[in-house]
Amino acid sequence: MRQQRLNALIELISERGHVSIPDVEEALGVSAATARRDISLLAEQRLVTRTHGGATALGSAYELPLQYKIAKEADAKRAIARAVAQLVRPGEVLAVNGGTTTTEVVREIVRREDLAADASITVVTNALNIAYELSIRPNVTIVVTGGTARSQSFELIGPLSDDVLAKIVVDTAIIGVDGFSVRGGVTTIHPAEAKVSGQFIKGASRTIVVADHTKLDRVTLARIVDLEAVTTLVTDRPLPATLQEAVKASGIEVVVAPPGKENGHRGQ
């Protein structure tokens, strides 16, 4: 309960830039004392800046740590993950970047009965949490890139990963993103993460981008690739009109997987 409340509070501060104690009381339905305690906790963790009577976000490019993202759009992420798992073929070599949606994807992939020990898959990842979860799976071979870990996303980045990334050749790259738009293409918040994801895509025969509806028609700082580099987009809602023509022109297959449905439906 408290984790969900903190998640909601940090999202509120991120969206508004600044909130007062009365703002928090009204938006979250909590007492002034609870609002102050929660703001103090987030400030101690250096997730927000406490001000007289409220709190401000750390900056305009504010990025939530992974543990605070898990509850957001959880049903949509699981629906997307189920749809992506059906696109994976036994024996494939996959490249998977970090993020809450891609974490759900690998969980769904390893639940597939046909991906047993005699039909194993290989996963190349720069995400420590994904590698850890897969380490107990006998039907999965794990390759972890080198690099320096980011606490926000548990992803390995930096020049130490370049040697591995330059040599990988995979069947499918499964890429979580922060933005998918006509203006920005496929984007993320952190430039070093964009570089790693771009190298995954460069070494792949096909690229599946996973993005819930909050990422559609959104532009963030660092471009990963142009839309033309994407083979398939898996999302939870039909595309906004601003994206439909560009996606069709780029030849991207779209799979829409609404929450509560076992499988998505395909279109252009």
Side-chain angles (χ1 to χ4, degrees), residues 174-195:
I174 300 173
I175 304 296
V177 303
D178 294 307
F180 188 94
S181 66
V182 175
R183 182 165 72 90
V186 182
T187 60
T188 189
I189 292 173
H190 197 278
E193 289 182 5
K195 181 180 179 182

Side-chain angles (χ1 to χ4, degrees), residues 2-22:
R2 189 184 192 192
Q3 182 67 54
Q4 292 178 339
R5 191 177 70 244
L6 290 171
N7 182 76
L9 174 57
I10 203 168
E11 290 285 351
L12 181 70
I13 297 170
S14 176
E15 290 170 1
R16 297 189 183 183
H18 176 269
V19 296
S20 64
I21 296 297

Side-chain angles (χ1 to χ4, degrees), residues 76-127:
K77 295 175 191 295
R78 284 191 287 268
I80 290 168
R82 288 192 294 270
V84 174
Q86 296 307 310
L87 301 177
V88 174
R89 298 177 287 264
E92 277 202 275
V93 178
L94 309 175
V96 184
N97 69 349
T100 53
T101 307
T102 50
T103 299
E104 290 294 337
V105 168
V106 297
R107 289 170 180 164
E108 288 295 331
I109 289 173
V110 297
R111 290 189 183 111
R112 276 185 48 181
E113 294 181 0
D114 58 329
L115 297 178
D118 59 344
S120 63
I121 60 172
T122 298
V123 175
V124 182
T125 186
N126 68 320

Side-chain angles (χ1 to χ4, degrees), residues 8-107:
L9 174 57
I10 203 168
E11 290 285 351
L12 181 70
I13 297 170
S14 176
E15 290 170 1
R16 297 189 183 183
H18 176 269
V19 296
S20 64
I21 296 297
D23 290 336
V24 178
E25 291 180 76
E26 180 180 358
L28 304 185
V30 298
S31 67
T34 297
R36 290 190 184 94
R37 283 196 300 270
D38 287 351
I39 286 174
S40 294
L41 177 60
L42 295 179
E44 288 171 5
Q45 296 177 2
R46 298 182 180 180
L47 298 174
V48 302
T49 299
R50 187 170 184 177
T51 63
H52 179 69
T56 61
L58 294 180
S60 59
Y62 188 70
E63 180 181 9
L64 298 180
L66 187 65
Q67 63 267 34
Y68 287 96
K69 298 179 182 179
I70 293 172
K72 188 177 181 181
E73 305 298 339
D75 290 341
K77 295 175 191 295
R78 284 191 287 268
I80 290 168
R82 288 192 294 270
V84 174
Q86 296 307 310
L87 301 177
V88 174
R89 298 177 287 264
E92 277 202 275
V93 178
L94 309 175
V96 184
N97 69 349
T100 53
T101 307
T102 50
T103 299
E104 290 294 337
V105 168
V106 297
R107 289 170 180 164

Side-chain angles (χ1 to χ4, degrees), residues 154-177:
F154 303 148
E155 288 185 85
L156 298 171
I157 58 173
L160 291 177
S161 65
D162 289 347
D163 284 346
V164 173
L165 292 169
K167 296 173 183 176
I168 65 164
V169 178
V170 303
D171 298 303
T172 301
I174 300 173
I175 304 296
V177 303

